[in-house]
Short mmCIF file of all heavy atoms in Angstrom, two decimals:
data_model
loop_
_atom_site.label_atom_id
_atom_site.label_comp_id
_atom_site.label_asym_id
_atom_site.label_seq_id
_atom_site.Cartn_x
_atom_site.Cartn_y
_atom_site.Cartn_z
N ASN S 12 -13.37 214.17 -73.32
CA ASN S 12 -12.80 213.10 -72.48
C ASN S 12 -11.64 212.44 -73.19
O ASN S 12 -11.78 211.34 -73.74
CB ASN S 12 -13.89 212.06 -72.16
CG ASN S 12 -15.06 212.70 -71.36
OD1 ASN S 12 -15.06 212.81 -70.18
ND2 ASN S 12 -16.13 213.08 -72.15
N PRO S 13 -10.52 213.05 -73.25
CA PRO S 13 -9.35 212.49 -74.01
C PRO S 13 -8.96 211.14 -73.59
O PRO S 13 -8.33 210.38 -74.39
CB PRO S 13 -8.28 213.54 -73.87
CG PRO S 13 -8.69 214.34 -72.65
CD PRO S 13 -10.16 214.33 -72.61
N GLN S 14 -9.20 210.78 -72.30
CA GLN S 14 -8.89 209.44 -71.89
C GLN S 14 -9.54 208.39 -72.66
O GLN S 14 -9.01 207.31 -72.92
CB GLN S 14 -9.17 209.28 -70.37
CG GLN S 14 -10.60 209.25 -69.96
CD GLN S 14 -11.17 210.68 -69.72
OE1 GLN S 14 -10.57 211.69 -70.16
NE2 GLN S 14 -12.22 210.73 -68.97
N LEU S 15 -10.74 208.69 -73.09
CA LEU S 15 -11.50 207.70 -73.94
C LEU S 15 -10.81 207.59 -75.31
O LEU S 15 -10.80 206.50 -75.92
CB LEU S 15 -12.98 208.19 -74.10
CG LEU S 15 -13.79 208.22 -72.82
CD1 LEU S 15 -15.22 208.62 -73.15
CD2 LEU S 15 -13.79 206.87 -72.03
N ALA S 16 -10.31 208.67 -75.84
CA ALA S 16 -9.65 208.69 -77.11
C ALA S 16 -8.38 207.79 -77.04
O ALA S 16 -8.08 207.07 -77.99
CB ALA S 16 -9.27 210.09 -77.54
N ILE S 17 -7.72 207.82 -75.92
CA ILE S 17 -6.49 206.95 -75.73
C ILE S 17 -6.86 205.49 -75.83
O ILE S 17 -6.25 204.71 -76.54
CB ILE S 17 -5.75 207.34 -74.43
CG1 ILE S 17 -5.25 208.74 -74.46
CG2 ILE S 17 -4.63 206.29 -74.18
CD1 ILE S 17 -4.67 209.20 -73.15
N PHE S 18 -7.90 205.12 -75.04
CA PHE S 18 -8.25 203.70 -75.06
C PHE S 18 -8.81 203.30 -76.40
O PHE S 18 -8.55 202.13 -76.82
CB PHE S 18 -9.32 203.41 -73.95
CG PHE S 18 -8.68 203.39 -72.57
CD1 PHE S 18 -8.92 204.44 -71.66
CD2 PHE S 18 -7.92 202.33 -72.17
CE1 PHE S 18 -8.33 204.36 -70.40
CE2 PHE S 18 -7.30 202.27 -70.93
CZ PHE S 18 -7.53 203.32 -70.06
N PHE S 19 -9.57 204.12 -77.07
CA PHE S 19 -10.06 203.82 -78.38
C PHE S 19 -8.92 203.55 -79.34
O PHE S 19 -8.89 202.65 -80.19
CB PHE S 19 -10.98 204.97 -78.89
CG PHE S 19 -11.63 204.66 -80.21
CD1 PHE S 19 -12.13 203.40 -80.56
CD2 PHE S 19 -11.75 205.74 -81.15
CE1 PHE S 19 -12.70 203.15 -81.77
CE2 PHE S 19 -12.33 205.42 -82.36
CZ PHE S 19 -12.77 204.20 -82.70
N THR S 20 -7.90 204.48 -79.27
CA THR S 20 -6.68 204.36 -80.14
C THR S 20 -6.00 203.11 -79.88
O THR S 20 -5.53 202.38 -80.79
CB THR S 20 -5.78 205.57 -79.91
OG1 THR S 20 -6.48 206.75 -80.19
CG2 THR S 20 -4.55 205.45 -80.74
N LEU S 21 -5.80 202.63 -78.59
CA LEU S 21 -5.20 201.42 -78.27
C LEU S 21 -5.95 200.20 -78.85
O LEU S 21 -5.35 199.35 -79.42
CB LEU S 21 -5.07 201.24 -76.70
CG LEU S 21 -4.09 202.20 -75.97
CD1 LEU S 21 -4.18 201.94 -74.49
CD2 LEU S 21 -2.69 201.95 -76.45
N ALA S 22 -7.26 200.25 -78.72
CA ALA S 22 -8.10 199.15 -79.15
C ALA S 22 -7.89 199.00 -80.70
O ALA S 22 -7.64 197.89 -81.22
CB ALA S 22 -9.53 199.31 -78.87
N VAL S 23 -8.04 200.11 -81.44
CA VAL S 23 -7.89 200.05 -82.89
C VAL S 23 -6.48 199.74 -83.25
O VAL S 23 -6.25 198.88 -84.17
CB VAL S 23 -8.32 201.37 -83.52
CG1 VAL S 23 -8.11 201.40 -85.02
CG2 VAL S 23 -9.77 201.69 -83.21
N GLY S 24 -5.50 200.26 -82.58
CA GLY S 24 -4.11 200.09 -82.88
C GLY S 24 -3.67 198.61 -82.71
O GLY S 24 -3.00 198.05 -83.63
N TYR S 25 -4.03 198.05 -81.60
CA TYR S 25 -3.70 196.63 -81.40
C TYR S 25 -4.44 195.71 -82.43
O TYR S 25 -3.83 194.67 -82.85
CB TYR S 25 -4.09 196.19 -79.96
CG TYR S 25 -3.01 196.49 -78.92
CD1 TYR S 25 -2.92 197.65 -78.27
CD2 TYR S 25 -2.01 195.50 -78.68
CE1 TYR S 25 -1.93 197.92 -77.32
CE2 TYR S 25 -1.03 195.75 -77.72
CZ TYR S 25 -0.94 196.99 -77.09
OH TYR S 25 0.03 197.24 -76.17
N TRP S 26 -5.65 196.10 -82.76
CA TRP S 26 -6.37 195.32 -83.78
C TRP S 26 -5.67 195.42 -85.13
O TRP S 26 -5.45 194.36 -85.80
CB TRP S 26 -7.81 195.75 -83.88
CG TRP S 26 -8.61 194.96 -84.90
CD1 TRP S 26 -9.23 193.82 -84.62
CD2 TRP S 26 -8.87 195.31 -86.24
NE1 TRP S 26 -9.89 193.32 -85.79
CE2 TRP S 26 -9.69 194.31 -86.74
CE3 TRP S 26 -8.54 196.42 -87.04
CZ2 TRP S 26 -10.10 194.30 -88.07
CZ3 TRP S 26 -8.98 196.41 -88.31
CH2 TRP S 26 -9.76 195.41 -88.87
N ILE S 27 -5.33 196.58 -85.54
CA ILE S 27 -4.65 196.73 -86.80
C ILE S 27 -3.26 196.03 -86.76
O ILE S 27 -2.90 195.36 -87.75
CB ILE S 27 -4.42 198.27 -87.13
CG1 ILE S 27 -5.73 198.92 -87.39
CG2 ILE S 27 -3.44 198.42 -88.36
CD1 ILE S 27 -5.59 200.45 -87.55
N GLY S 28 -2.56 196.20 -85.69
CA GLY S 28 -1.21 195.61 -85.59
C GLY S 28 -1.18 194.11 -85.64
O GLY S 28 -0.17 193.51 -86.09
N ALA S 29 -2.28 193.51 -85.22
CA ALA S 29 -2.38 192.04 -85.26
C ALA S 29 -2.74 191.44 -86.60
O ALA S 29 -2.70 190.18 -86.84
CB ALA S 29 -3.32 191.57 -84.18
N ARG S 30 -3.24 192.31 -87.52
CA ARG S 30 -3.70 191.83 -88.82
C ARG S 30 -2.48 191.30 -89.61
O ARG S 30 -1.42 191.96 -89.67
CB ARG S 30 -4.38 192.90 -89.64
CG ARG S 30 -5.70 193.45 -89.08
CD ARG S 30 -6.71 192.41 -88.83
NE ARG S 30 -6.64 191.98 -87.41
CZ ARG S 30 -7.25 190.93 -87.00
NH1 ARG S 30 -7.93 190.19 -87.76
NH2 ARG S 30 -7.14 190.61 -85.68
N LYS S 31 -2.66 190.15 -90.28
CA LYS S 31 -1.59 189.56 -91.04
C LYS S 31 -1.77 189.84 -92.52
O LYS S 31 -2.84 189.76 -93.09
CB LYS S 31 -1.60 188.02 -90.89
CG LYS S 31 -1.16 187.52 -89.51
CD LYS S 31 0.35 187.64 -89.31
CE LYS S 31 0.80 186.96 -88.05
NZ LYS S 31 2.27 187.05 -87.84
N PHE S 32 -0.66 190.29 -93.12
CA PHE S 32 -0.60 190.58 -94.58
C PHE S 32 0.40 189.53 -95.12
O PHE S 32 1.61 189.87 -95.22
CB PHE S 32 -0.24 191.96 -94.94
CG PHE S 32 -1.14 192.99 -94.28
CD1 PHE S 32 -0.77 193.57 -93.04
CD2 PHE S 32 -2.31 193.35 -94.85
CE1 PHE S 32 -1.56 194.47 -92.39
CE2 PHE S 32 -3.14 194.28 -94.24
CZ PHE S 32 -2.83 194.86 -93.05
N GLY S 33 -0.06 188.31 -95.45
CA GLY S 33 0.90 187.26 -95.76
C GLY S 33 1.52 186.78 -94.44
O GLY S 33 0.84 186.47 -93.49
N SER S 34 2.85 186.93 -94.37
CA SER S 34 3.56 186.59 -93.14
C SER S 34 3.91 187.84 -92.33
O SER S 34 4.56 187.76 -91.32
CB SER S 34 4.83 185.77 -93.37
OG SER S 34 5.71 186.53 -94.24
N PHE S 35 3.52 188.99 -92.83
CA PHE S 35 3.89 190.28 -92.28
C PHE S 35 2.76 190.95 -91.51
O PHE S 35 1.61 190.87 -91.93
CB PHE S 35 4.40 191.24 -93.34
CG PHE S 35 4.67 192.63 -92.84
CD1 PHE S 35 5.81 192.89 -92.04
CD2 PHE S 35 3.81 193.69 -93.13
CE1 PHE S 35 6.09 194.19 -91.60
CE2 PHE S 35 4.10 195.00 -92.67
CZ PHE S 35 5.18 195.21 -91.96
N SER S 36 3.04 191.58 -90.41
CA SER S 36 2.03 192.38 -89.66
C SER S 36 2.74 193.66 -89.23
O SER S 36 3.93 193.70 -89.03
CB SER S 36 1.49 191.58 -88.41
OG SER S 36 2.56 191.33 -87.55
N LEU S 37 1.94 194.73 -89.14
CA LEU S 37 2.46 195.98 -88.74
C LEU S 37 3.01 196.05 -87.33
O LEU S 37 3.87 196.78 -87.01
CB LEU S 37 1.37 197.11 -88.92
CG LEU S 37 1.01 197.49 -90.36
CD1 LEU S 37 -0.15 198.43 -90.31
CD2 LEU S 37 2.20 198.11 -91.11
N GLY S 38 2.39 195.27 -86.41
CA GLY S 38 2.76 195.34 -85.02
C GLY S 38 1.92 196.39 -84.29
O GLY S 38 1.35 197.37 -84.89
N ALA S 39 1.85 196.26 -83.00
CA ALA S 39 0.99 197.12 -82.20
C ALA S 39 1.45 198.60 -82.22
O ALA S 39 0.60 199.44 -82.25
CB ALA S 39 0.94 196.58 -80.75
N VAL S 40 2.74 198.83 -82.22
CA VAL S 40 3.21 200.18 -82.18
C VAL S 40 2.82 200.94 -83.39
O VAL S 40 2.28 202.04 -83.33
CB VAL S 40 4.78 200.25 -82.01
CG1 VAL S 40 5.23 201.65 -82.03
CG2 VAL S 40 5.10 199.62 -80.65
N THR S 41 3.08 200.41 -84.62
CA THR S 41 2.71 201.09 -85.83
C THR S 41 1.24 201.23 -85.98
O THR S 41 0.68 202.22 -86.45
CB THR S 41 3.35 200.36 -87.03
OG1 THR S 41 4.78 200.26 -86.82
CG2 THR S 41 3.08 201.16 -88.33
N GLY S 42 0.51 200.14 -85.66
CA GLY S 42 -0.94 200.18 -85.66
C GLY S 42 -1.54 201.27 -84.81
O GLY S 42 -2.46 201.99 -85.18
N THR S 43 -0.96 201.40 -83.56
CA THR S 43 -1.42 202.41 -82.62
C THR S 43 -1.13 203.83 -83.17
O THR S 43 -1.95 204.73 -83.07
CB THR S 43 -0.80 202.21 -81.28
OG1 THR S 43 -1.17 200.95 -80.78
CG2 THR S 43 -1.19 203.28 -80.31
N LEU S 44 0.10 203.98 -83.75
CA LEU S 44 0.44 205.29 -84.31
C LEU S 44 -0.51 205.70 -85.41
O LEU S 44 -1.02 206.83 -85.41
CB LEU S 44 1.91 205.25 -84.80
CG LEU S 44 2.36 206.57 -85.47
CD1 LEU S 44 2.43 207.69 -84.47
CD2 LEU S 44 3.74 206.41 -86.15
N LEU S 45 -0.80 204.78 -86.38
CA LEU S 45 -1.68 205.13 -87.44
C LEU S 45 -3.08 205.42 -86.92
O LEU S 45 -3.77 206.37 -87.42
CB LEU S 45 -1.69 203.95 -88.43
CG LEU S 45 -0.39 203.71 -89.15
CD1 LEU S 45 -0.50 202.46 -90.10
CD2 LEU S 45 0.10 204.91 -89.96
N ALA S 46 -3.52 204.60 -85.95
CA ALA S 46 -4.92 204.83 -85.40
C ALA S 46 -4.92 206.21 -84.71
O ALA S 46 -5.91 206.99 -84.82
CB ALA S 46 -5.21 203.70 -84.43
N GLY S 47 -3.89 206.54 -83.99
CA GLY S 47 -3.79 207.84 -83.31
C GLY S 47 -3.84 209.03 -84.29
O GLY S 47 -4.51 210.03 -84.02
N ILE S 48 -3.15 208.85 -85.41
CA ILE S 48 -3.05 209.94 -86.40
C ILE S 48 -4.48 210.15 -86.91
O ILE S 48 -4.92 211.37 -87.09
CB ILE S 48 -2.12 209.56 -87.52
CG1 ILE S 48 -0.67 209.67 -86.97
CG2 ILE S 48 -2.31 210.51 -88.73
CD1 ILE S 48 0.37 209.09 -87.91
#
Side-chain angles (χ1 to χ4, degrees):
N12 300 275
Q14 67 273 20
L15 299 182
I17 295 174
F18 283 108
F19 183 40
T20 301
L21 289 177
V23 175
Y25 273 89
W26 181 82
I27 293 174
R30 298 303 94 194
K31 290 284 187 180
F32 305 94
S34 61
F35 173 74
S36 62
L37 288 175
V40 174
T41 305
T43 299
L44 177 64
L45 295 177
I48 290 170

